[in-house]
Every structure is written in structure tokens, then in C-alpha cells.
Amino acid sequence: YIYIQSKDDGVLIAWRTFRFSLRLKEEVDFNDLGDPADLATQKHNVAIICLLEKVDVQEHIPILVSNCHLHWEPESAELKLMQAELLLQAVSNLRRSLLRNDVAVFVCGDFNSTPESNVYQLITQGKAVKKPLDGFICDSSLGKVAKYLRAIGVDCIYDEKAQGVSVLDICQKYRERIFL
């Protein structure tokens, strides 16, 4: 299991030890998505991936199980999508490293998403319809405006370094980070 003490949050994968044995465990920290100073990506959400094998069987068929907890805020759809992409990439990388085609894969968790969301589309169809970045970028002189815009549900990025930088450059930077 993974437990985040500062958030009283975590995820768990449990199994009957007389039926399965743990071969490998990988933790995914979604804080790795962005700059540690960027509070927009530092939400302390996590995932765990376990490689299990059935015991007392002649042929050991691996079972890859993941469990995650994605961010909860409906306004953070892009962040949830990035978290889901990171999880699926980690599961895919681990599966490929096994060099076997008979791996059973289970992706489980609290996705905090609806069937209409990009997260659901990504998991069920392997791709998400990514909208272009729409919203506002505010420099330090508009920091309070950015706070109030987010409070009413308007997508907004507050960037203290925005002064003297082209808004188009900043849009491209955030678009690349959100939609990679």
C-alpha cells in the first residue's frame, strides 16, 4: 500500500497470499508530473502497480494490477488526464518489460471522472479528445483576478514569471505540459 501521511490518503492492493505471490511493486507519485513549486500539479495523489503470480500452478501467468486515486476537483480535468496518462504509461512500461504476451492487466481506482470525461475516454478507448487550452494567463499584477476567476470555474493560470514574456510562449509551455 501507499499512504500519504500529510493528506491522510493512499491506495491499497490486497490479495490472498495462499493464491497469489507478489513479484514486483511499483509506486507512482503523480507529483512527479510538474515542478515541485507549481501547486497546480502537487496534489499528493498516488497509484500503485503490483505484479502478482498465481501460486501452486505449473505455468505462472503474471497478473498486473494497478490502483490509483486521481485528483477530485471537477475543474482539474487536465490534471486528472495527465495523472491517468502517467498511470497508463507506467502500467504499459511494466507490462512491456515482462517480455510476455499473456499478462492480464487490471487498472482499478478512484478516477473521480464521469463517462463523459477525457479520463474515461483515455482508459476505455486509449485516447482522449484534447481541447486546446482555453482560459487566461495572469501575471503577478493580476494574481487576485486569477484567484477569483478560478473560484467561479474559469480556467486560469497564475504565473509570476509572465512579466516580459510573450503570452503565446506561456500558452505553448502550458499546452505542452498539459497535453503531452
Side-chain angles (χ1 to χ4, degrees):
Y1 75 95
I2 303 174
Y3 174 68
I4 302 173
Q5 192 170 11
S6 64
K7 296 288 281 185
D8 283 334
D9 204 355
V11 292
L12 169 78
I13 296 176
W15 61 91
R16 295 176 189 247
T17 56
F18 67 89
R19 293 197 188 264
F20 298 96
S21 62
L22 177 65
R23 296 290 177 222
L24 181 69
K25 178 182 95 168
E26 185 174 315
E27 297 178 2
V28 179
D29 184 353
F30 294 126
N31 284 345
D32 293 341
L33 283 170
D35 180 1
D38 183 4
L39 296 178
T41 60
Q42 303 301 302
K43 301 297 185 183
H44 304 288
N45 299 111
V46 292
I48 187 170
I49 306 168
C50 292
L51 177 63
L52 303 174
E53 284 187 347
K54 198 160 171 80
V55 295
D56 296 333
V57 177
Q58 193 73 355
E59 186 178 332
H60 293 286
I61 297 175
I63 301 169
L64 202 54
V65 181
S66 67
N67 189 10
C68 70
H69 182 213
L70 301 187
H71 191 58
W72 64 273
E73 288 179 305
E75 301 82 31
S76 299
E78 293 89 3
L79 177 61
K80 284 190 265 195
L81 183 59
M82 288 190 309
Q83 290 175 340
E85 287 173 335
L86 181 63
L87 171 65
L88 294 178
Q89 187 63 49
V91 168
S92 177
N93 290 344
L94 189 55
R95 183 173 187 240
R96 265 196 307 272
S97 73
L98 298 174
L99 303 174
R100 294 180 66 156
N101 293 327
D102 61 347
V103 180
V105 178
F106 296 88
V107 179
C108 311
D110 180 356
F111 298 100
N112 285 311
S113 300
T114 63
E116 296 80 29
S117 70
N118 276 334
V119 170
Y120 183 84
Q121 298 299 317
L122 177 67
I123 292 170
T124 59
Q125 299 177 15
K127 62 183 176 180
V129 179
K130 298 178 182 178
K131 301 185 307 184
L133 183 66
D134 53 356
F136 298 91
I137 297 178
C138 301
D139 64 12
S140 59
S141 64
L142 296 174
K144 288 182 180 179
V145 173
K147 176 182 168 185
Y148 295 117
L149 286 171
R150 282 192 302 271
I152 62 169
V154 176
D155 209 8
C156 179
I157 299 168
Y158 171 64
D159 192 338
E160 289 184 12
K161 299 174 188 167
Q163 292 176 331
V165 178
S166 160
V167 171
L168 292 175
D169 291 341
I170 295 169
C171 283
Q172 186 60 36
K173 177 180 88 171
Y174 283 98
R175 180 174 288 130
E176 287 169 2
R177 188 166 75 198
I178 290 170
F179 297 125
L180 283 180

